């Protein structure tokens, strides 16, 4: 018989399944709801520096596809669950915290109806970690010009994607492309055209750690590391965000530290 998966290792569950569990469960453990598996890894790494598995649990919302497989549904499903918990379970005793990425709302405003959700300061949780750890500061001297050129191109391309969103053409956007794919990297970053809105492009370049997609930043760092000669130390993406968490927890003004303290206080408050 196979070993039973931990809850955070299981497939995504639907909104109705999560609501049913919350209605019928007598658990008082703090529950942290996030967007997907990647987020669980990050928030769990932060939480377990001060809390144990008996004090906090993690979950994310998903859908069941036509073929019966379960996939994570992302921010929209998380926010739908948040609103349904508020409306359908107003007397819920269990402490549930919702953490979500701002995504493109970093260029707009957070609707009042989402009040109570803990949004990232930057585009995503990876952006907040990047801001705390500044992992690009450790690049070698000969790598820094390469990094800057890649960031300039990335910002131009991303500004064009933001324009599509602001113009109501979100269906034309391709921000889910990964910089770990060489075709994407070469086609988007290295030869990205200038954004027609120079002010927007300049704004993003000035604050690229907050305003671009954090996953892209980490993926660009990964490429630079893996271009190093054989024998030189190369980091994987998970090492970057783990280092950022370590540095963030040492700084009481960091996003990571703020999250850690919130989870710690909420877990203590949820105990009998």
């Amino acid at each position: 018989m196979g070993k039973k998966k931990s809850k955070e290792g299981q497939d995504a569950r639907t909104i109705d399944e999560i609501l049913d569990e919350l209605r019928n469960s007598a658990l008082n453990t703090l529950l942290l709801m996030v967007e997907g598996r990647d987020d669980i890894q990050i928030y769990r790494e932060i939480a377990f520096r001060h809390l144990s598995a008996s004090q906090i649990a993690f979950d994310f919302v998903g859908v069941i596809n036509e073929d019966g497989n379960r996939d994570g549904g992302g921010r929209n499903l998380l926010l739908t669950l948040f609103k349904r918990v508020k409306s359908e379970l107003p007397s819920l005793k269990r402490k549930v915290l919702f953490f979500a990425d701002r995504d493109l709302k970093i260029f707009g405003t957070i609707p009042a109806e989402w009040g109570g959700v803990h949004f990232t300061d930057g585009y995503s949780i990876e952006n907040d970690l990047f801001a705390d750890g500044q992992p690009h500061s450790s690049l070698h001297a000969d790598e820094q010009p390469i990094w800057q050129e890649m960031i300039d191109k990335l910002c131009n391309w991303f500004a064009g994607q933001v324009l599509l969103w602001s113009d109501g053409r979100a269906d034309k956007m391709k921000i889910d492309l990964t910089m770990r794919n060489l075709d994407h990297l070469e086609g988007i970053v290295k030869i990205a055209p200038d954004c027609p809105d120079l002010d927007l492009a300049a704004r993003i370049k000035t604050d690229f750690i907050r305003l671009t997609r954090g996953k892209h930043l980490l993926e660009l760092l990964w490429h630079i590391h893996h271009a190093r000669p054989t024998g030189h130390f190369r980091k994987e993406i998970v090492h970057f965000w783990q280092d950022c968490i370590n540095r963030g927890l040492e700084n009481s003004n960091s996003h990571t530290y703020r999250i850690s303290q919130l989870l710690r206080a909420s877990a203590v408050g949820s105990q009998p």
Side-chain angles (χ1 to χ4, degrees):
M1 181 179 295
K3 184 178 180 180
K4 185 178 180 181
K5 294 181 181 179
S6 63
K7 176 161 290 187
E8 47 267 42
Q10 295 176 357
D11 290 330
R13 296 185 300 152
T14 66
I15 289 175
D16 287 335
E17 288 171 338
I18 293 173
L19 286 171
D20 285 343
E21 179 179 299
L22 290 174
R23 286 191 188 97
N24 300 317
S25 175
L27 293 175
N28 55 16
T29 305
L30 172 66
L31 176 62
L32 189 64
M33 295 297 311
V34 296
E35 295 184 28
R37 290 183 181 88
D38 290 346
D39 299 292
I40 284 182
Q41 291 184 55
I42 291 173
Y43 284 103
R44 182 169 53 191
E45 183 79 14
I46 296 172
F48 283 174
R49 302 303 177 88
H50 299 297
L51 303 174
S52 68
S54 64
Q55 294 176 289
I56 184 169
F58 305 82
D59 211 342
F60 69 105
V61 191
V63 295
I64 302 177
N65 296 327
E66 293 180 358
D67 58 7
N69 291 326
R70 293 171 179 259
D71 294 316
R75 191 185 68 168
N76 289 339
L77 281 180
L78 176 75
L79 295 174
T80 299
L81 174 63
F82 168 75
K83 288 188 281 189
R84 288 190 60 182
V85 168
K86 285 182 63 176
S87 63
E88 298 177 29
L89 303 174
S91 301
L92 181 67
K93 294 182 179 179
R94 187 176 187 182
K95 183 77 172 182
V96 184
L97 297 181
F98 292 80
F99 281 79
D101 294 340
R102 282 184 183 268
D103 290 345
L104 289 164
K105 287 297 183 182
I106 194 73
F107 297 97
T109 56
I110 300 296
E113 63 182 334
W114 295 351
V117 176
H118 298 278
F119 284 95
T120 53
D121 178 70
Y123 184 95
S124 68
I125 183 59
E126 288 88 354
N127 293 77
D128 288 1
L129 296 187
F130 206 100
D132 289 349
Q134 302 284 313
H136 59 308
S137 63
S138 63
L139 288 173
H140 298 167
D142 58 343
E143 295 170 338
Q144 292 170 6
I146 300 172
W147 166 258
Q148 190 57 58
E149 179 184 4
M150 295 172 81
I151 288 298
D152 287 345
K153 295 295 185 180
L154 177 69
C155 290
N156 283 336
W157 169 76
F158 199 75
Q161 298 298 302
V162 174
L163 281 182
L164 291 175
W165 172 74
S166 62
D167 290 344
R169 294 181 290 158
D171 59 313
K172 303 295 183 183
M173 296 173 63
K174 297 182 179 181
I175 58 174
D176 286 335
L177 298 179
T178 171
M179 299 298 116
R180 294 189 72 159
N181 183 311
L182 283 175
D183 291 336
H184 296 173
L185 178 62
E186 294 172 0
I188 296 173
V189 179
K190 292 186 178 179
I191 58 174
D194 288 338
C195 174
D197 188 332
L198 298 181
D199 289 339
L200 176 60
R203 176 189 170 196
I204 293 176
K205 289 179 184 179
T206 300
D207 197 11
F208 72 90
I209 292 178
R210 291 184 68 249
L211 300 181
T212 58
R213 198 162 184 248
K215 288 182 179 179
H216 290 162
L217 298 178
L218 294 174
E219 288 162 354
L220 291 183
L221 272 181
W222 177 87
H223 270 290
I224 292 178
H225 266 249
H226 280 258
R228 289 177 172 177
T230 303
H232 288 230
F233 182 65
R234 302 174 178 181
K235 286 189 177 182
E236 299 300 327
I237 289 179
V238 66
H239 295 150
F240 287 124
W241 58 253
Q242 285 177 337
D243 288 347
C244 290
I245 289 174
N246 289 336
R247 292 187 65 178
L249 290 175
E250 295 172 353
N251 178 3
S252 61
N253 294 317
S254 73
H255 307 296
T256 307
Y257 186 86
R258 174 180 55 82
I259 293 170
S260 174
Q261 294 305 299
L262 172 61
L263 298 183
R264 196 174 185 178
S266 298
V268 171
S270 67
Q271 300 303 303

Coordinates of all heavy atoms in Angstrom, one line a residue, residues 35-87:
E35 N -2.8 30.1 -3.5 CA -3.2 29.9 -4.9 C -2.8 28.5 -5.5 O -3.5 28.0 -6.4 CB -2.6 31.0 -5.8 CG -3.2 32.3 -5.5 CD -2.7 33.4 -6.4 OE1 -2.4 33.1 -7.6 OE2 -2.6 34.6 -6.0
G36 N -1.7 27.9 -5.1 CA -1.3 26.7 -5.7 C -0.2 26.0 -5.0 O 0.3 26.5 -3.9
R37 N 0.3 24.9 -5.5 CA 1.4 24.1 -4.9 C 2.7 24.9 -4.7 O 3.3 24.8 -3.7 CB 1.7 22.9 -5.8 CG 0.6 21.8 -5.8 CD 1.0 20.6 -6.6 NE -0.1 19.6 -6.6 CZ -1.0 19.6 -7.5 NH1 -1.1 20.5 -8.5 NH2 -2.0 18.7 -7.5
D38 N 3.1 25.7 -5.7 CA 4.3 26.5 -5.5 C 4.2 27.4 -4.3 O 5.2 27.6 -3.6 CB 4.6 27.3 -6.8 CG 5.0 26.4 -8.0 OD1 5.3 25.2 -7.7 OD2 5.0 26.9 -9.1
D39 N 3.0 28.0 -4.2 CA 2.8 29.0 -3.0 C 2.9 28.2 -1.7 O 3.4 28.7 -0.7 CB 1.5 29.7 -3.2 CG 1.5 30.5 -4.4 OD1 2.2 31.5 -4.5 OD2 0.7 30.2 -5.3
I40 N 2.3 27.0 -1.7 CA 2.4 26.2 -0.4 C 3.8 26.0 0.0 O 4.2 26.1 1.1 CB 1.7 24.9 -0.6 CG1 0.1 25.1 -0.6 CG2 2.1 23.9 0.5 CD1 -0.7 23.8 -0.7
Q41 N 4.7 25.7 -1.0 CA 6.1 25.4 -0.7 C 6.7 26.6 0.0 O 7.5 26.5 1.0 CB 6.9 25.1 -1.9 CG 6.5 23.7 -2.6 CD 7.4 23.5 -3.7 OE1 8.7 23.5 -3.6 NE2 6.8 23.2 -4.9
I42 N 6.4 27.8 -0.6 CA 7.0 29.1 0.0 C 6.5 29.4 1.3 O 7.2 29.7 2.3 CB 6.8 30.2 -1.0 CG1 7.6 30.0 -2.3 CG2 7.2 31.6 -0.4 CD1 7.4 31.0 -3.4
Y43 N 5.2 29.4 1.4 CA 4.6 29.8 2.7 C 4.8 28.8 3.8 O 5.0 29.2 5.0 CB 3.1 30.0 2.6 CG 2.7 31.3 1.9 CD1 2.3 31.4 0.5 CD2 2.8 32.6 2.6 CE1 2.0 32.6 -0.1 CE2 2.5 33.8 1.9 CZ 2.1 33.8 0.6 OH 1.8 34.9 0.0
R44 N 4.9 27.5 3.5 CA 5.3 26.5 4.4 C 6.7 26.7 4.9 O 7.0 26.6 6.1 CB 5.1 25.1 3.8 CG 5.4 24.0 4.8 CD 5.0 22.7 4.2 NE 5.5 22.4 2.9 CZ 5.2 21.5 2.1 NH1 4.2 20.6 2.5 NH2 5.8 21.3 0.9
E45 N 7.6 27.1 4.0 CA 9.0 27.3 4.4 C 9.1 28.5 5.4 O 9.8 28.4 6.4 CB 9.8 27.7 3.2 CG 11.3 27.9 3.4 CD 12.1 26.6 3.6 OE1 11.5 25.5 3.2 OE2 13.2 26.7 4.1
I46 N 8.3 29.5 5.2 CA 8.2 30.6 6.1 C 7.6 30.2 7.5 O 8.1 30.5 8.6 CB 7.4 31.8 5.5 CG1 8.2 32.4 4.3 CG2 7.3 33.0 6.6 CD1 7.4 33.4 3.5
A47 N 6.5 29.6 7.4 CA 5.7 29.2 8.6 C 6.4 28.3 9.5 O 6.4 28.5 10.8 CB 4.3 28.6 8.2
F48 N 7.1 27.3 9.0 CA 7.7 26.3 9.8 C 9.0 26.7 10.5 O 9.6 25.9 11.2 CB 7.9 25.0 9.0 CG 6.7 24.2 8.7 CD1 6.7 23.1 7.9 CD2 5.5 24.5 9.3 CE1 5.6 22.3 7.7 CE2 4.3 23.8 9.1 CZ 4.4 22.7 8.3
R49 N 9.4 27.9 10.3 CA 10.5 28.4 11.1 C 10.1 28.7 12.5 O 11.0 28.7 13.4 CB 11.1 29.7 10.5 CG 11.5 29.7 9.0 CD 12.6 28.6 8.8 NE 13.0 28.5 7.4 CZ 14.0 29.2 6.9 NH1 14.6 30.1 7.6 NH2 14.3 29.0 5.6
H50 N 8.8 28.9 12.7 CA 8.3 29.2 14.1 C 7.2 28.3 14.5 O 6.9 28.2 15.7 CB 7.9 30.6 14.2 CG 9.0 31.6 14.0 ND1 10.1 31.7 14.8 CD2 9.1 32.6 13.0 CE1 10.8 32.7 14.3 NE2 10.3 33.2 13.2
L51 N 6.5 27.6 13.6 CA 5.3 26.8 13.9 C 5.6 25.4 13.5 O 6.4 25.0 12.7 CB 4.1 27.3 13.1 CG 3.8 28.8 13.3 CD1 2.6 29.2 12.4 CD2 3.4 29.0 14.8
S52 N 4.8 24.5 14.1 CA 4.9 23.1 13.8 C 3.7 22.7 12.9 O 2.7 23.4 12.8 CB 4.8 22.2 15.1 OG 3.6 22.3 15.7
A53 N 3.7 21.4 12.4 CA 2.7 20.9 11.5 C 1.4 20.8 12.3 O 0.3 20.7 11.7 CB 3.1 19.6 10.9
S54 N 1.4 20.7 13.6 CA 0.2 20.6 14.4 C -0.5 21.9 14.6 O -1.6 22.0 15.1 CB 0.5 20.0 15.8 OG 1.4 20.8 16.5
Q55 N 0.2 23.0 14.3 CA -0.3 24.4 14.5 C -0.9 25.0 13.2 O -1.7 25.9 13.3 CB 0.8 25.3 15.1 CG 1.2 24.9 16.4 CD 2.4 25.8 16.9 OE1 3.5 25.7 16.4 NE2 2.1 26.7 17.8
I56 N -0.5 24.5 12.1 CA -0.9 25.2 10.8 C -1.0 24.2 9.7 O -0.2 23.2 9.6 CB 0.1 26.3 10.4 CG1 -0.4 27.1 9.2 CG2 1.5 25.8 10.2 CD1 0.4 28.3 8.9
A57 N -2.0 24.3 8.9 CA -2.3 23.5 7.7 C -2.4 24.4 6.5 O -2.6 25.6 6.6 CB -3.5 22.6 7.9
F58 N -2.1 23.8 5.3 CA -2.1 24.5 4.1 C -3.0 23.9 3.0 O -3.1 22.6 3.0 CB -0.7 24.6 3.5 CG 0.3 25.1 4.4 CD1 0.9 24.3 5.4 CD2 0.7 26.5 4.4 CE1 1.9 24.8 6.3 CE2 1.7 27.0 5.3 CZ 2.2 26.1 6.2
D59 N -3.6 24.7 2.2 CA -4.5 24.1 1.2 C -4.6 25.1 0.0 O -4.3 26.3 0.2 CB -5.9 23.9 1.7 CG -6.6 22.7 1.1 OD1 -6.1 22.3 0.0 OD2 -7.6 22.2 1.6
F60 N -5.0 24.6 -1.1 CA -5.3 25.5 -2.3 C -6.5 25.0 -3.1 O -6.8 23.8 -3.0 CB -4.0 25.6 -3.2 CG -3.7 24.3 -3.9 CD1 -3.9 24.2 -5.3 CD2 -3.0 23.3 -3.3 CE1 -3.5 23.1 -6.0 CE2 -2.6 22.2 -3.9 CZ -2.9 22.1 -5.3
V61 N -7.1 25.9 -3.8 CA -8.3 25.5 -4.5 C -8.0 25.1 -5.9 O -7.1 25.5 -6.6 CB -9.3 26.8 -4.6 CG1 -10.7 26.4 -5.1 CG2 -9.4 27.4 -3.2
G62 N -8.8 24.2 -6.4 CA -8.7 23.7 -7.8 C -10.0 23.3 -8.5 O -11.0 23.6 -8.0
V63 N -9.8 22.7 -9.6 CA -11.0 22.3 -10.4 C -10.8 20.8 -10.8 O -9.7 20.3 -10.8 CB -11.2 23.2 -11.6 CG1 -11.5 24.6 -11.2 CG2 -9.9 23.1 -12.5
I64 N -11.9 20.2 -11.2 CA -11.9 18.9 -11.7 C -12.1 19.0 -13.2 O -13.2 19.5 -13.6 CB -12.9 17.9 -11.1 CG1 -12.7 17.8 -9.6 CG2 -12.8 16.5 -11.7 CD1 -13.7 17.0 -8.8
N65 N -11.2 18.6 -14.0 CA -11.3 18.8 -15.5 C -12.3 17.7 -16.1 O -12.7 16.8 -15.4 CB -10.0 18.7 -16.2 CG -9.1 19.8 -15.8 OD1 -9.5 20.9 -15.5 ND2 -7.8 19.6 -15.7
E66 N -12.6 17.8 -17.3 CA -13.4 16.9 -18.0 C -12.9 15.5 -17.9 O -13.7 14.5 -17.9 CB -13.7 17.3 -19.4 CG -14.5 18.6 -19.6 CD -14.7 19.0 -21.0 OE1 -14.2 18.2 -21.9 OE2 -15.4 20.0 -21.3
D67 N -11.6 15.3 -17.9 CA -11.0 14.0 -17.9 C -10.8 13.4 -16.5 O -10.3 12.4 -16.2 CB -9.6 14.0 -18.5 CG -8.6 15.0 -17.9 OD1 -9.0 15.6 -16.8 OD2 -7.5 15.2 -18.4
G68 N -11.4 14.2 -15.5 CA -11.4 13.8 -14.1 C -10.1 14.1 -13.3 O -10.1 13.9 -12.1
N69 N -9.1 14.7 -14.0 CA -7.9 15.2 -13.3 C -8.2 16.5 -12.5 O -9.0 17.3 -12.9 CB -6.8 15.3 -14.2 CG -6.3 14.0 -14.8 OD1 -6.3 13.0 -14.1 ND2 -5.9 14.0 -16.1
R70 N -7.4 16.7 -11.5 CA -7.5 17.9 -10.7 C -6.4 18.8 -10.9 O -5.2 18.4 -10.9 CB -7.6 17.5 -9.2 CG -8.9 16.8 -8.8 CD -8.8 16.3 -7.4 NE -10.1 15.6 -7.0 CZ -11.1 16.1 -6.3 NH1 -11.0 17.3 -5.9 NH2 -12.1 15.4 -6.0
D71 N -6.6 20.1 -11.1 CA -5.6 21.1 -11.3 C -5.9 22.3 -10.4 O -7.0 22.6 -10.1 CB -5.6 21.6 -12.8 CG -5.1 20.5 -13.7 OD1 -4.2 19.7 -13.4 OD2 -5.8 20.3 -14.8
G72 N -4.8 23.0 -10.0 CA -4.9 24.2 -9.3 C -5.6 25.3 -10.1 O -5.3 25.4 -11.3
G73 N -6.4 26.0 -9.5 CA -7.2 27.0 -10.2 C -6.7 28.5 -10.1 O -7.2 29.3 -10.8
G74 N -5.8 28.7 -9.2 CA -5.2 30.1 -9.2 C -6.0 31.1 -8.3 O -6.9 30.7 -7.5
R75 N -5.7 32.3 -8.6 CA -6.2 33.4 -7.7 C -7.7 33.6 -7.8 O -8.4 33.8 -6.8 CB -5.5 34.7 -8.1 CG -5.8 35.8 -7.0 CD -5.2 37.1 -7.5 NE -5.9 37.7 -8.6 CZ -5.8 38.9 -9.1 NH1 -5.0 39.7 -8.5 NH2 -6.5 39.3 -10.1
N76 N -8.3 33.5 -9.0 CA -9.7 33.7 -9.1 C -10.6 32.7 -8.2 O -11.5 33.1 -7.6 CB -10.2 33.6 -10.6 CG -9.7 34.8 -11.4 OD1 -9.4 35.9 -10.8 ND2 -9.6 34.7 -12.7
L77 N -10.2 31.4 -8.3 CA -10.9 30.5 -7.4 C -10.6 30.7 -5.9 O -11.5 30.6 -5.1 CB -10.5 29.1 -7.8 CG -11.1 28.4 -9.1 CD1 -10.5 27.0 -9.3 CD2 -12.6 28.4 -9.0
L78 N -9.4 31.1 -5.6 CA -9.1 31.5 -4.2 C -10.0 32.6 -3.7 O -10.6 32.5 -2.6 CB -7.7 31.9 -4.1 CG -7.2 32.3 -2.7 CD1 -7.1 31.1 -1.7 CD2 -5.9 33.1 -2.7
L79 N -10.2 33.6 -4.5 CA -11.0 34.8 -4.1 C -12.5 34.4 -4.1 O -13.2 34.9 -3.2 CB -10.8 35.9 -5.1 CG -9.4 36.5 -5.1 CD1 -9.2 37.6 -6.2 CD2 -9.0 37.1 -3.7
T80 N -12.9 33.5 -5.0 CA -14.3 33.0 -4.9 C -14.6 32.3 -3.6 O -15.6 32.4 -3.0 CB -14.6 32.1 -6.1 OG1 -14.4 32.9 -7.3 CG2 -16.0 31.6 -6.1
L81 N -13.6 31.4 -3.2 CA -13.7 30.7 -2.0 C -13.8 31.7 -0.8 O -14.6 31.5 0.1 CB -12.5 29.7 -1.8 CG -12.5 29.0 -0.4 CD1 -13.7 28.1 -0.2 CD2 -11.2 28.2 -0.3
F82 N -12.9 32.7 -0.8 CA -12.9 33.7 0.2 C -14.3 34.3 0.4 O -14.8 34.4 1.5 CB -11.9 34.8 -0.1 CG -12.0 36.0 0.8 CD1 -11.5 36.0 2.1 CD2 -12.5 37.2 0.3 CE1 -11.6 37.1 2.9 CE2 -12.6 38.3 1.1 CZ -12.2 38.3 2.4
K83 N -14.9 34.7 -0.7 CA -16.2 35.4 -0.6 C -17.3 34.4 -0.2 O -18.2 34.8 0.6 CB -16.6 36.0 -2.0 CG -15.8 37.2 -2.3 CD -16.2 37.9 -3.6 CE -15.8 37.2 -4.8 NZ -16.1 38.0 -6.1
R84 N -17.2 33.1 -0.6 CA -18.2 32.2 -0.1 C -18.0 31.8 1.4 O -19.0 31.6 2.1 CB -18.1 30.9 -1.0 CG -18.7 31.1 -2.4 CD -18.8 29.9 -3.2 NE -19.7 28.9 -2.5 CZ -20.0 27.7 -3.0 NH1 -19.4 27.3 -4.1 NH2 -20.8 26.9 -2.4
V85 N -16.8 31.8 1.8 CA -16.6 31.5 3.3 C -17.2 32.7 4.1 O -17.9 32.4 5.1 CB -15.1 31.4 3.6 CG1 -14.9 31.5 5.1 CG2 -14.5 30.1 3.0
K86 N -17.0 33.9 3.6 CA -17.6 35.0 4.3 C -19.1 35.0 4.3 O -19.8 35.3 5.3 CB -17.1 36.3 3.7 CG -15.7 36.7 4.0 CD -15.3 38.0 3.3 CE -16.1 39.2 3.9 NZ -15.7 40.5 3.3
S87 N -19.7 34.6 3.2 CA -21.2 34.7 3.1 C -21.9 33.4 3.6 O -23.0 33.5 4.2 CB -21.6 34.9 1.6 OG -21.2 33.8 0.8

